[in-house]
Each structure stands twice: as C-alpha cells, then as structure tokens.
Amino acid sequence: MLNSLEIRNFRNLKELRINSLGSVNLFTGKNNTGKSTLLEAIALYAVKGDLNFLYQLLNERGENYKQNDATKDATEVNIKALSSFFSNRNIGFKQIDSLSVGIIENTLFGEQRSNENFVAIQFVKYFDEVINEVENDMNQPLRRKRVIIENEVDGLLADYRIGLEVRSGSSSYIFPLDRERPYRLLLRTIGTPENYQFIRTKNIDREINGKLWDNITLSEKENYVIDALRIIEPSVERIAFIEESPRERTAVVKLKSNSTVLPLKSMGDGINRILTIILALVNSDNGFLLIDEFENGLHYSVQEKLWKIIFALSEKLNVQVFATTHSEDCILGFENILNDKETQLEGKLIRLELISGYVRQVEFNADELKIANAENIETR
Amino acid sequence: MRKFNKQLLVEGNDDMHVIMALCQKFTVNENFEIIDCKGIDRLFTQIPIRLKQSGFETLGIIIDADTEIKSRWCTLKSIFSKQGISLPDEIPNDGLILTTNNVTIGVWIMPNNDLNGMLEDFISFLIPKEDELLPVATQTLEAIEKEKLNKYIPAHKSKALIHSWLSWQEDPGTPMGLAITKKFLTTQEEICKRLIAWLSITFQ
C-alpha cells in the first residue's frame, strides 16, 4: 500500500509529492498534466524498476531504437531510448539526475523519500572490478563496481563503461548498456515485485484476460466477474474463454433464457471494458490496480455501479486503486460511493495542474467532494 | 456544461434577480456566473471548494448583514484565513476588493457594508423620494405590530415592508428584481451606484 508518493524526474513529473493517499484514488486534470505518467510511475514502483517493463513502455511509444549493426556498441542507442524516461530527456550521471518513485516518510530531517520503499534509476559511469576469490570456469567479473566520475578530466582518463543502475531499497544492480536490450542478459529482479494490473486507455480488452480468468476459475471470484457484467447485461448467466484461433482466447457468455453462446465482443465496448477491469481487479490481491481513463467506453449510468463494485472488492481483496478520468460523471459516481455509509475506505480526488512548468496537485477529500458535487462545483 | 472562472455567490433567488436587473440597467459586463447558494450556511461551506477550481480568477460574495454585521464579517475572515487569505479587520464602506495569489476576492454586505439589515433594506433605499405609499406601509406594520397580529419576526420587518409596498404597485406581486426592471424602483440612488462600482471593479 502506498500511503504517500514522491516522484522525481520521471518524464514530465519533475517533482510531485502527494502526502497522503487513500485506498481508492482518482486523478483528473487537463491533457498532458501527467496522469498516465503517474500510473506508469506506480507500475514502475510495483515492478521494482524491472527493465522489461521499461522497454515495453518504450516499444509502445515507438522509442525503442534498434541498433542496426549487431556488432557495434549499443550504448548510444540505449541511452537515447532510455533518456526519454528522464525529465527533459536529461542524461546525467549524478544521483540528483536519477528518477525515483517512493513513499514519503517522517525522518529526523523532515519528510523525505523512504530509504526502503522506493525505486531509483539513473545512468552511471562504471568499471568492472574482477573479484576472483574462487576460481570459476568462466573467469567472469563477479561484481560491478561503480565509480562516480564528477570531474570531466577524470572521466577522460578512466576507462569506464556506461550502464543503468536500478536501486530498490538496499538492493541495486547495474545493467551494462553496450549490448542491445541489456535485460536479455539477466533474469534478475531487484527487490520483490508487487502484484499489479495496469489497464491502459486503449484496453477495451486485453490479451491477458484469458489467463486472468484461468487464475480465478472455479473460485468465488467468478461470481464477482458475473456480477460486474450484469451491470450492463443483467441476464448474463455464465462466462467462459474459448480458443477461437491458436493462442487467441476470447470471452463468450451464456444469457438466461437463451441457449446460444455469444461472443462477448458482439455485445459492445462497455461490457468488454468492464470484463477487462473486473478481471484485473480480482487478480490484484494485496497489490495495485491502475486504470487509465476510467470512463472509456462506459455510459454515465454504469460508472457509479462499477465504482461500487471496485470499492467493495478493493476492501475485500486489499487492492489499492489508482484511476484517471476526464469525466464529470465518473467523479460524481466516485463521490457517491465514497460517501456512502456502507463504504469504509478512504479515498480522494486529486487534480494535476501544470504551473510554471511543474506539475502540482489540488486535492479534494471525501467531504470536499461531497460539497463540490452538491453545489455543482467543477473539480476537474 | 461551461463553467465560469469568475463567480458571484449570493444567498438566495431574490438576491440573484436583483443583481441581474441592476447589471442590465447599468450594462455591466456579465462575464461572471451568479450562483444562488440557497442559504448563508451553504454559501460559507462552498467558499473553500470554489477557490480550488482550476483556473479560478474571481470570487464575489454578497451576503446580508442580518442582526450582527461584525459577526458575519468575523465568520468570513475566519473562513478565508484558513485558506491563507487575510481579510482586513473591518469591511470598507464601498465593499471589499482584494487580490492575492492570482485570485480576486470581493465582498459586499447588504445593505451598505455598515448597517445591520438585509437585501430588502437596500431595496428600500431605491423607493422613489416622492412615493406616498411607503409611509402607509410603515404605519400599517406599526399598527399590526401593536396588536401583535404580525406573524413575521422583528428581524424580517423590512421584508414585510418591501413586499407590502410592492403588492400595491402597478403590477401587484412583482418581485424586487423585476420591480427594478419595470422602474417601480429608482436606480439613481448613491447606494446603487456604489454597489455597481464594487461589482464592476471586482469582475473587471
């Protein structure tokens, strides 16, 4: 559970500090204020800086530049690609240049980023120090030692390589950048990754849905899925996944009083998006659920009902939810459920704004949201 | 729904229509939204939330002094101080206008930022000097109060007075705002001009 959040140097989030977060958190704000980036940052925290995740993000944005000549040093290409994660595409080698996501703690020096619960990534200049305490077959370097080169002259003299250091808590590792896609070298995670599911704006359905269904099949979680689908189609009785073409599984449903099995895809975007959200939710136990553009594909009348289910399962399965929205109806539905006397969870609405080049936030707690909705005050 | 960055909060429906009628008469640029808060308490609770709106520029407030203008001002001062905005110890005679943190705050307390009273007291200043019905209304109220026949409380006397006077005009039952538009009430009075000046400068 992230009870607070500090993000530094991650894309357009140069320095964002949110001192308290609830179980269910809704983010709004104009385009380009960093809402999706915020979700990416939380996902990055969950995977503890896993490079596979980073390169996947690069692929999606078309920024995974490939090396044409496989024999050449890929450092330049990798730096160019990875620099897109740093604010202003800054390529720096000092600790202050690192991007980080972590929890804020009360320390002797005031409120600072936690020393345990964080992920930090930065470019480093390093050299390999070979430690041969025990003779091994490969005679490979057993440890990479980092040298911080502050002085340009020293930099020219030393024979260094450039890598990407990923730190999480007390663990860290330096990934060399001279080969193409350095993560191939190592099946290594820094620290313990946390459970999370990330639903992107464009995900009406996700390829992973079949597997997510398999994970919960024949458990009571099946009922949660059916209940959610019934928000849109009350006569849904059962759902299953079938393999239509090799390695492509799609959802099919059976409706009450009709023996035909229907592909869920034929029933519109709304119900498919709900399936995607609910499958992700019931698979994020004790972890995070990230939903970008909550309202996507959903009519306003459906959104409050979906929030009700999300709040209930968030509590039951201990899932912390982060969602973004542009929709007034989404915020209305969110507030109604948040302030419902049956809801025990804490939640808030946070609007991100760009002020003088920095992203800042304006927060609304449950009471303030209640007044805002009652008096028709714009919170977005 | 389009939202304005400049908003004027008023206590009730009558206040809203009076302001609208005055704005029309004086051709004030209506670049702001008038919001009927349906009561002073709801008006007060809205203030901190409205200040949080994205790109918000100006918050104007018109409230009644009621029986204790100092107490009303105190409440406002305390609400704004929690938002880091410091109001002066007393409201200026021409109403308050102050700009801080890129937000303009304006306050006018009916009837004239000085006396106790309410919207209806302000309206009573707009009854033409030559009017002969006002003394009749005043006497009538005194007579029924003497017999203790009145159901209104003393604090609402000016409401009884104005609505009685209005019911004897050319179109009986005309509300205050419309009475301004129909010229039953004059807008030449100094107090009117001061209110309009405050409004114009606040929302310029």
Side-chain angles (χ1 to χ4, degrees), chain B residues 26 122-129 186-195:
Chain B
F26 287 85
F122 174 88
I123 294 293
S124 68
F125 289 133
L126 307 189
I127 294 178
K129 291 273 183 307
T186 160
T187 47
Q188 295 305 307
E189 286 296 309
E190 193 53 40
I191 184 82
C192 232
K193 301 191 177 150
R194 278 168 56 207
L195 175 62

Side-chain angles (χ1 to χ4, degrees), chain A residues 205-324:
Chain A
D205 45 39
R206 294 161 84 201
E207 268 181 48
I208 199 181
N209 279 352
K211 175 146 196 334
L212 294 181
W213 172 257
D214 291 344
N215 290 346
I216 61 147
T217 208
L218 299 183
S219 76
E220 70 165 343
K221 286 178 175 178
E222 275 195 16
N223 298 326
Y224 303 149
V225 174
I226 305 285
D227 285 342
L229 295 179
R230 284 187 179 147
I231 294 176
I232 295 198
E233 180 46 74
S235 71
V236 167
E237 246 182 13
R238 294 179 64 186
I239 178 176
F241 274 78
I242 61 171
E243 199 160 293
E244 270 202 330
S245 48
R247 298 175 67 190
E248 227 191 84
R249 297 179 66 205
T250 59
V252 290
V253 286
K254 181 188 173 312
L255 303 181
K256 214 191 260 191
S257 69
N258 190 332
S259 55
T260 333
V261 171
L262 294 169
L264 197 68
K265 276 216 183 87
S266 71
M267 295 170 67
D269 279 354
I271 199 168
N272 280 281
R273 175 85 166 166
I274 290 199
L275 179 66
T276 294
I277 291 176
I278 190 73
L279 281 175
L281 176 53
V282 298
N283 275 275
S284 335
D285 305 57
N286 302 310
F288 307 109
L289 175 63
L290 310 169
I291 308 176
D292 209 352
E293 228 161 278
F294 184 91
E295 67 275 18
N296 199 10
L298 303 177
H299 190 254
Y300 73 81
S301 58
V302 152
Q303 295 186 49
E304 184 172 322
K305 296 181 188 163
L306 183 58
W307 274 124
K308 189 166 177 135
I309 292 185
I310 291 178
F311 269 80
L313 290 177
S314 160
E315 189 175 3
K316 198 168 190 134
L317 305 175
N318 190 31
V319 178
Q320 190 175 20
V321 181
F322 298 87
T324 72

Side-chain angles (χ1 to χ4, degrees), chain A residues 82-213:
Chain A
L82 291 166
S83 67
S84 68
F85 288 117
F86 294 83
S87 292
N88 301 323
R89 291 176 186 258
N90 177 40
I91 301 166
F93 298 88
K94 307 198 179 88
Q95 183 159 9
I96 199 165
D97 301 311
S98 66
L99 72 84
S100 71
V101 183
I103 293 180
I104 302 169
E105 274 174 3
N106 265 321
T107 69
L108 286 170
F109 306 102
E111 285 188 329
Q112 296 209 336
R113 197 208 60 203
S114 163
N115 283 327
E116 279 296 309
N117 300 308
F118 77 96
V119 167
I121 299 176
Q122 76 177 88
F123 290 111
V124 289
K125 294 176 180 171
Y126 74 99
F127 63 83
D128 286 333
E129 186 180 77
V130 180
I131 316 272
N132 267 339
E133 282 156 8
V134 177
E135 272 293 316
N136 59 13
D137 301 347
M138 308 287 272
N139 211 28
Q140 279 189 355
L142 294 177
R143 194 168 82 201
R144 290 193 170 91
K145 182 177 172 179
R146 181 183 72 182
V147 169
I148 298 171
I149 299 178
E150 308 255 306
N151 194 316
E152 273 307 309
V153 176
D154 286 349
L156 292 171
L157 291 175
D159 182 20
Y160 65 85
R161 301 160 78 187
I162 293 183
L164 192 74
E165 186 196 40
V166 176
R167 273 182 295 139
S168 175
S170 44
S171 316
S172 72
Y173 193 78
I174 299 177
F175 294 89
L177 293 180
D178 52 355
R179 300 191 216 194
E180 199 190 327
R181 283 194 282 183
Y183 67 90
R184 267 196 193 148
L185 276 180
L186 215 59
L187 301 165
R188 185 180 185 132
T189 47
I190 316 296
T192 320
E194 298 192 48
N195 195 10
Y196 82 103
Q197 291 291 326
F198 192 172
I199 302 173
R200 322 299 285 276
T201 307
K202 61 182 195 264
N203 292 145
I204 297 294
D205 45 39
R206 294 161 84 201
E207 268 181 48
I208 199 181
N209 279 352
K211 175 146 196 334
L212 294 181
W213 172 257

Side-chain angles (χ1 to χ4, degrees), chain A residues 30 328 351 353 362-364 368 371-372 374-378 380, chain B residues 1 3 7 35-37 42 45-46 48-50 52-55:
Chain A
K30 298 199 169 95
E328 211 172 337
R351 180 179 74 235
E353 297 184 325
V362 175
E363 304 185 14
F364 295 85
E368 291 169 329
I371 296 171
E375 309 294 356
N376 206 15
I377 302 173
E378 183 63 78
R380 295 172 294 171
Chain B
M1 202 195 302
K3 308 276 178 176
Q7 295 169 349
I35 293 160
D36 171 7
C37 296
R42 274 172 77 166
T45 49
Q46 283 185 47
I49 321 287
R50 290 208 176 262
K52 284 194 184 190
Q53 290 171 103
S54 175

Side-chain angles (χ1 to χ4, degrees), chain A residues 1-7 16-22 42 45 101-106 111-114 117 288 320 322:
Chain A
M1 187 77 134
L2 285 166
N3 50 33
S4 58
L5 188 60
E6 188 197 78
I7 301 173
L16 183 70
R17 302 183 98 216
I18 304 175
N19 288 309
S20 78
L21 289 167
I42 296 173
Y45 172 84
V101 183
I103 293 180
I104 302 169
E105 274 174 3
N106 265 321
E111 285 188 329
Q112 296 209 336
R113 197 208 60 203
S114 163
N117 300 308
F288 307 109
Q320 190 175 20
F322 298 87

Side-chain angles (χ1 to χ4, degrees), chain B residues 18-19 22 26 62 92-95 108-115 118-127 129 180 186-199:
Chain B
V18 165
I19 297 297
L22 287 174
F26 287 85
I62 298 181
N93 275 335
D94 286 331
W108 178 281
I109 303 188
M110 287 293 186
N112 64 355
N113 301 309
D114 182 38
L115 300 169
M118 50 186 63
L119 175 72
E120 284 76 1
D121 294 287
F122 174 88
I123 294 293
S124 68
F125 289 133
L126 307 189
I127 294 178
K129 291 273 183 307
I180 292 173
T186 160
T187 47
Q188 295 305 307
E189 286 296 309
E190 193 53 40
I191 184 82
C192 232
K193 301 191 177 150
R194 278 168 56 207
L195 175 62
I196 292 298
W198 170 83
L199 204 60

Side-chain angles (χ1 to χ4, degrees), chain A residues 67-86:
Chain A
Q67 182 76 334
N68 286 326
D69 184 349
T71 56
K72 260 179 77 183
D73 188 321
T75 304
E76 211 177 294
V77 163
N78 278 319
I79 292 181
K80 185 179 175 192
L82 291 166
S83 67
S84 68
F85 288 117
F86 294 83

